[in-house]
Amino acid sequence: MSNLFWLSDQQLAAIEAAPPKKRRGVNPQRNREVISGIIHVLKIGCRWEDCPLDYGRLATVYNRFNRWSKAGIWSAILAKLVVFDATDIQCIDSTTAKAHRCAAGGKGGPKTGH
């Protein structure tokens, strides 16, 4: 069983305009693999060195993440990938979040300065 992350066709279509197209040097290729690799590393929390080769060369994955971070491109990509759905909203209230008894002053109540 593989636990690799891959962008779906729908997700790739949503962010297609975000990566830079006209820049000096070589135009970015293999966007699906590289972006999926970057998201995999961030999602799993592994080191860049541990990024699976299925996503491409380590230097390519890291350098693209670094360069796009400095240029603010990730904000645009992630904003397009986020889907707001009211059914996904979860709230925590006081009936589900219990405080430990020491949070209220501990045993014997609050100390007075007599």
Side-chain angles (χ1 to χ4, degrees):
M1 182 170 97
S2 174
N3 62 350
L4 300 180
F5 173 84
W6 292 103
L7 287 170
S8 68
D9 292 336
Q10 182 182 8
Q11 291 169 324
L12 191 62
I15 65 170
E16 196 168 14
K21 301 282 190 254
K22 296 181 181 185
R23 57 178 277 267
R24 293 179 303 175
V26 179
N27 285 331
Q29 297 177 0
R30 300 183 59 200
N31 276 338
R32 173 176 277 173
E33 290 87 354
V34 175
I35 294 171
S36 295
I38 292 168
I39 294 173
H40 173 81
V41 169
L42 298 176
K43 180 180 172 188
I44 299 297
C46 66
R47 300 177 309 162
W48 290 103
E49 293 84 13
D50 296 332
C51 182
L53 290 176
D54 296 351
Y55 298 123
R57 291 181 41 233
L58 163 66
T60 302
V61 175
Y62 174 74
N63 288 338
R64 195 166 304 174
F65 169 76
N66 195 24
R67 195 169 50 247
W68 288 4
S69 294
K70 290 177 183 176
I73 295 169
W74 280 109
S75 298
I77 288 175
L78 294 177
K80 292 179 183 207
L81 289 177
V82 171
V83 176
F84 292 102
D85 185 2
T87 60
D88 286 340
I89 297 174
Q90 299 177 4
C91 299
I92 298 175
D93 64 12
S94 63
T95 60
T96 59
K98 303 294 182 193
H100 194 269
R101 66 181 179 195
C102 67
K107 187 174 181 180
K111 299 206 185 257
T112 56
H114 294 27

